[in-house]
Amino acid sequence: MSVTKNYVLLTALGGIITLATWPLGFHGLMFLFWNVLLLGLLLLDMIMTPGKKLLSVRRQDKEATLYFKAENSVAFYIKNSSRYVLLIEGKDELHRHFRIVAGDLLNRAVKPRAERIFEYTTIPAKRGSFGIKNIYLRWQGLLGLCVKHATYLCPAEFKVYPNVRDLSKYRLMVQKSRLLPLGDKSIRHYGLGAEFESQRAYVEGDDYRKINWLSTARENRLIVNQFQIERNQPVFILLDIGRPMSYSVKGFKKLDYAINAALILGDIVNQQGDKTGLMVFDSQVRAFIAPGQGAGHKNQLMETLYHVADNRSTADYEGAFRSLCEKQKRRSLVFIFTDFEILEEAQNLIAHMKLLKKRHLPIVVFMRNENLDAMAEQPVYKEFDRVLRDTAREFQDERRDIFRTLHAMGIPNVESTAENFAVEAVNRYMQLRRNG
């Protein structure tokens, strides 16, 4: 229990009155009278004001679903079983990764024998499952002199999922073909099983390998075959959670962007009638989900990815690729979400890419190192700045060499900004599907 500002002000007022009566000679009596009066009123306020047993707390949800880096509403209810109106301040016990943006101090007047909702808005800064135990209450005394405190055990589990609230936006963009940039060319891909769709006249820019020479001779004009990726084509997402994905870009870890992209890509793939599989790996395979569709499969992907955490290990590409080839026999599109910070990591990826390419069509999506780009363009004021800039530019050239090497191997790859990571992945899938 504590006292209110009113009690402090009344105490100060008693001091002023005591000083004012000093010349009259009964200041000692006034001091004693005032303090006894205040203490008596405080004691009366403590007795009259309802205690902890007359208040009860319950949560709106004992298992709440929240979304990472998004505003989420959380609520609990307080019931006042007394016969007095109480001014109550409620506060939840939140994890250090939860930032409250509205409703930090919840003050509500709760009527007698009534229940009232206390609601606040929080932005989780980390994915995963978090246990919350207590709710803290303070309420003012009926005479306004004391404040009572109580802690209520009210456990709950908050599951923070990747923020995929805008999945419908991506679906709509795909339906309207707004994701694909105007005039974008189809990317080359080799060795992928495709279904014959139709024939049409050759136009400038068509791949000459698609020319049907028998039809060309018969029609006396160039005719090309059109293909489409076979229906129900499995699409696997290989998610690297090793050290390079642990670095932050604009307040988010690379892995967080990649997880959002994986869920968005998986949703679009399912919407297009294809199946989605998932493998999470670092130095070993951490999770594997066979290709599937439907709401249950979507929930399985979400449950697998919401608590995935980055670590400082080095990705074992050979082990991941070999495991995928053993478990997934049917030829599939394989999107690899990864990155590298040192040249040896990229060389390791290239060294084992042939193993994957024998059985599947790999597509590598890298995340652009925006800090490196900024360093490469920074102004030079002293020699140390020049060394940093030249080193950054040298590493940029090494990254471009890696991309060219993969391209020469017939492996589509793209380097994307963090914000466009999901869009780039969906673009590549839609291009392959439409231009088989």
Side-chain angles (χ1 to χ4, degrees):
M1 193 203 75
S2 59
V3 296
T4 64
K5 291 182 179 179
N6 293 337
Y7 183 85
V8 175
L9 290 174
L10 288 173
T11 302
L13 179 61
I16 295 173
I17 294 175
T18 300
L19 290 175
T21 57
W22 191 286
L24 302 177
F26 56 88
H27 57 278
L29 184 61
M30 178 58 68
F31 176 81
L32 180 62
F33 168 76
W34 192 264
N35 282 280
V36 169
L37 177 63
L38 272 184
L39 288 174
L41 290 174
L42 179 61
L43 183 60
L44 180 62
D45 199 16
M46 292 169 55
I47 295 173
M48 292 175 55
T49 302
K52 177 179 179 180
K53 292 183 179 180
L54 291 177
L55 298 177
S56 59
V57 180
R58 67 178 179 90
R59 291 191 181 275
Q60 186 177 52
D61 300 295
K62 290 188 177 181
E63 291 187 3
T65 296
L66 308 182
Y67 293 94
F68 172 69
K69 287 288 185 178
E71 291 190 355
N72 300 268
S73 178
V74 179
F76 55 88
Y77 296 86
I78 298 176
K79 184 177 181 180
N80 175 16
S81 299
S82 75
R83 55 181 178 172
Y84 304 104
V85 176
L86 295 179
L87 182 61
I88 301 176
E89 178 185 295
K91 189 172 184 179
D92 208 346
E93 175 190 54
L94 283 183
H95 194 274
R96 61 188 177 89
H97 293 298
F98 287 59
R99 179 169 62 91
I100 297 179
V101 294
D104 188 11
L105 294 177
L106 302 169
N107 293 284
R108 303 283 188 273
V110 184
K111 296 179 179 180
R113 297 178 178 86
E115 185 177 59
R116 189 165 183 184
I117 188 170
F118 284 61
E119 192 172 16
Y120 61 93
T121 302
T122 182
I123 299 179
K126 188 176 182 180
R127 290 173 292 98
S129 179
F130 304 92
I132 307 297
K133 291 184 179 181
N134 300 318
I135 291 177
Y136 305 100
L137 300 187
R138 291 161 39 111
W139 61 100
Q140 190 170 299
L142 299 179
L143 300 180
L145 299 178
C146 72
V147 176
K148 290 192 174 183
H149 307 253
T151 300
Y152 292 82
L153 181 63
C154 202
E157 182 182 15
F158 290 170
K159 290 186 175 181
V160 181
Y161 289 94
N163 185 12
V164 290
R165 288 175 170 173
D166 53 358
L167 279 179
S168 57
K169 177 188 73 175
Y170 283 89
R171 293 176 187 172
L172 185 62
M173 291 173 72
V174 168
Q175 290 171 4
K176 295 184 177 180
S177 298
R178 288 170 55 193
L179 275 173
L180 293 173
L182 185 63
D184 195 13
K185 302 290 186 180
S186 62
I187 58 176
R188 293 185 178 184
H189 51 285
Y190 305 94
L192 178 66
E195 294 179 339
F196 173 78
E197 181 186 23
S198 61
Q199 292 182 338
R200 60 171 173 79
Y202 174 88
V203 295
E204 185 177 355
D206 281 338
D207 189 346
Y208 69 88
R209 289 170 299 179
K210 293 183 179 181
I211 296 175
N212 186 314
W213 295 106
L214 290 177
S215 297
T216 295
R218 184 169 57 250
E219 299 287 337
N220 198 28
R221 58 175 180 162
L222 290 175
I223 301 295
V224 295
N225 294 328
Q226 291 193 110
F227 298 90
Q228 63 179 4
I229 300 298
E230 59 184 286
R231 299 292 293 174
N232 298 320
Q233 176 74 39
V235 177
F236 252 93
I237 300 171
L238 266 60
L239 180 62
D240 175 10
I241 63 171
R243 183 180 56 80
M245 302 298 283
S246 67
Y247 298 110
S248 295
V249 178
K250 297 181 179 179
F252 292 80
K253 288 190 175 182
K254 290 183 178 181
L255 180 59
D256 293 320
Y257 285 105
I259 287 175
N260 267 24
L263 289 170
I264 290 169
L265 176 60
D267 182 74
I268 297 300
V269 167
N270 287 167
Q271 288 294 312
Q272 296 297 312
D274 296 333
K275 295 182 178 181
T276 310
L278 173 71
M279 175 183 285
V280 178
F281 71 99
D282 46 36
S283 58
Q284 58 184 294
V285 175
R286 301 292 179 179
F288 180 87
I289 299 177
Q293 291 174 302
H297 183 73
K298 178 181 175 181
N299 290 338
Q300 187 181 12
L301 292 175
M302 185 74 80
E303 288 294 327
T304 299
L305 290 175
Y306 89 91
H307 56 73
V308 166
D310 58 86
N311 57 68
R312 307 300 293 175
S313 63
T314 300
D316 179 11
Y317 294 110
E318 180 183 14
F321 296 165
R322 194 175 299 281
S323 178
L324 179 63
C325 291
E326 291 173 355
K327 294 179 179 180
Q328 178 63 18
K329 302 299 183 182
R330 184 180 174 186
R331 195 165 183 81
S332 307
L333 295 175
V334 179
F335 283 85
I336 306 167
F337 292 168
T338 188
D339 202 5
F340 60 95
E341 295 295 327
I342 57 176
L343 188 60
E344 288 75 10
E345 292 170 339
Q347 291 172 338
N348 186 34
L349 170 66
I350 291 173
H352 301 293
M353 191 60 75
K354 291 182 180 179
L355 172 66
L356 184 62
K357 191 172 181 293
K358 288 179 181 178
R359 297 289 301 273
H360 304 285
L361 172 69
I363 303 162
V364 188
V365 186
F366 297 103
M367 192 170 294
R368 179 172 297 165
N369 191 328
E370 298 182 42
N371 293 331
L372 180 69
D373 293 344
M375 192 181 299
E377 298 300 325
Q378 70 177 1
V380 175
Y381 299 108
K382 50 188 177 181
E383 185 61 27
F384 182 70
D385 295 335
R386 186 183 304 279
V387 172
L388 285 179
R389 187 195 64 181
D390 293 346
T391 303
R393 291 180 177 180
E394 182 179 348
F395 191 64
Q396 279 184 326
D397 291 339
E398 291 177 348
R399 286 182 69 90
R400 296 188 189 100
D401 288 341
I402 294 298
F403 304 150
R404 283 192 288 266
T405 301
L406 287 171
H407 181 76
M409 294 170 65
I411 298 172
N413 62 92
V414 60
E415 184 186 35
S416 168
T417 60
E419 293 88 345
N420 293 327
F421 206 65
V423 174
E424 288 286 1
V426 173
N427 267 345
R428 291 307 183 233
Y429 164 71
M430 295 303 296
Q431 287 172 325
L432 285 167
R433 199 172 190 280
R434 293 174 182 177
N435 299 296

